[in-house]
Amino acid sequence: MNHKMTIAAVQMNSQQDINANLATIKAAISDASAQGAKLVVLPENCCSMGEQRATAARFDELSSTISDYARMHGVYVLAGSLPCPYRPEGIIVPDGRMRQVSQLFAPDGTQAARYDKIHLFTATVADKQGSYNEAATFEPGTQTVVTPIEVNNAIFQLGMMVCFDLRFPALAQRLRQAGAKLLSAPSAFTYLTGQANWSLLLQARALDSQCMVIGAAQGGEHSYKTGNPRQTWGHAAITAFDGSVVDSYENSALEGQALDKSYALVLATLDKGAQEKGRQSMPIFQCHRLA
């Protein structure tokens, strides 16, 4: 039995043209599939940076489109995050807020899992925007999610996170305790917080959980209708269970890409046998006493 799976993390520079972003997503999934990826992870806000309410109004349509891409190429696709006007049970989010929703679509196009972002970004940053308060727009999720991915008759358990979740080691540890081998971390880190902490957080959460951490990312400058552009850090990366960086894209902007590419791919292969051997050689979850 083959206990290996190739994974692709996508770096994008999503603007507010949803159709253009969908074209990029479609091309990235096709490219990743051609390179052997069985799981493709898109970044946070993959369909639009900004214009959250207008994007949320199209949640079902956009979800269906991305699920079609998964089915078309016969791969799992994690739609990093989309703003959604309703909770998992279908109840409209009160007070005009939304949920930040990460979805996993199976190779047959069905929704395999939905995770609503638990930790909402709150920070003061010395950039042009200055302060961030996701809770003013979004309602936090309340449920952790670990979901199986079946590839080559082997099961790989995926624990789902989004962006700011990376700063909370207890979440990564809880996902590991629930059986996770992989952690998804679709993100849109600000340039300054990403420069300071992105790589460290990916490696730290891998060490905390002994899981492979998949850091898909937004990178570069994003134009906003307010006239104040937002900069994101990029540097998509995949980190192994031992904290080593397997592969990374070493830029914020999409530099040096072919003229027809508006994305970058980072690829890695998870070897369940090697991961389990590493976990056994340092059994930190058998030694864990505080949780």
Side-chain angles (χ1 to χ4, degrees):
M1 186 178 292
N2 186 349
H3 291 281
K4 297 181 180 180
M5 176 174 63
T6 300
I7 300 140
V10 181
Q11 179 162 323
M12 295 177 64
N13 176 242
S14 298
Q15 302 294 330
Q16 294 180 0
D17 183 337
I18 291 176
N19 290 334
N21 295 330
L22 286 173
T24 296
I25 288 168
K26 183 178 182 181
I29 293 170
S30 176
D31 191 355
S33 174
Q35 295 189 54
K38 299 301 182 183
L39 168 63
V40 183
V41 179
L42 305 171
E44 186 176 30
N45 298 321
C46 54
C47 286
S48 180
M49 285 288 291
E51 293 297 297
Q52 299 281 15
R53 296 191 189 284
T55 307
R58 297 177 61 181
F59 177 80
D60 292 335
E61 169 204 343
L62 297 173
S63 299
S64 178
T65 298
I66 296 174
S67 75
D68 284 345
Y69 298 159
R71 180 180 50 77
M72 187 183 306
H73 294 285
V75 298
Y76 286 90
V77 175
L78 189 134
S81 78
L82 286 169
C84 179
Y86 55 85
R87 296 170 179 166
E89 64 273 21
I91 297 172
I92 296 296
V93 179
D95 305 320
R97 292 193 292 172
M98 300 167 282
R99 292 279 187 102
Q100 270 282 38
V101 172
S102 186
Q103 297 174 92
L104 179 69
F105 296 107
D108 63 1
T110 59
Q111 186 198 66
R114 166 178 165 156
Y115 165 67
D116 292 16
K117 185 178 181 181
I118 291 173
H119 299 102
L120 300 179
F121 185 39
T122 304
T124 300
V125 181
D127 62 11
K128 291 179 180 178
Q129 184 156 329
S131 64
Y132 297 83
N133 179 18
E134 249 188 331
T137 306
F138 293 99
E139 176 185 70
T142 59
Q143 299 292 321
T144 58
V145 175
V146 175
T147 187
I149 291 175
E150 184 175 357
V151 174
N152 298 324
N153 297 315
I155 300 296
F156 301 82
Q157 296 287 348
L158 172 70
M160 298 173 69
M161 304 191 297
V162 175
C163 201
F164 199 50
D165 285 330
L166 275 170
R167 294 191 180 271
F168 300 90
L171 175 58
Q173 291 168 333
R174 180 172 294 187
L175 294 171
R176 158 67 193 275
Q177 288 169 330
K181 307 290 187 185
L182 299 146
L183 300 178
S184 53
S187 299
F189 264 62
T190 73
Y191 187 93
L192 292 177
T193 58
Q195 185 179 47
N197 302 139
W198 170 247
S199 182
L200 288 171
L201 287 168
L202 292 175
Q203 292 176 280
R205 294 300 78 82
L207 289 169
D208 291 338
S209 65
Q210 296 179 313
C211 290
M212 177 171 277
V213 181
I214 311 160
Q218 292 285 352
E221 188 168 280
H222 311 269
S223 298
Y224 277 47
K225 291 180 179 178
T226 60
N228 293 324
R230 178 176 172 185
Q231 282 189 299
T232 49
W233 177 239
H235 292 75
I238 300 177
T239 305
F241 71 94
D242 60 0
S244 61
V245 177
V246 182
D247 192 17
S248 62
Y249 183 71
E250 295 301 319
N251 293 291
S252 292
L254 294 167
E255 300 172 1
Q257 297 298 296
L259 292 177
D260 61 341
K261 286 190 177 181
S262 51
Y263 60 89
L265 295 180
V266 169
L267 291 109
T269 298
L270 173 64
D271 183 330
K272 283 180 68 177
Q275 184 184 64
E276 188 56 34
K277 185 176 180 180
R279 288 177 169 187
Q280 290 173 1
S281 67
M282 187 176 290
I284 59 174
F285 279 77
Q286 294 177 28
C287 305
H288 200 178
R289 293 291 176 264
L290 296 178

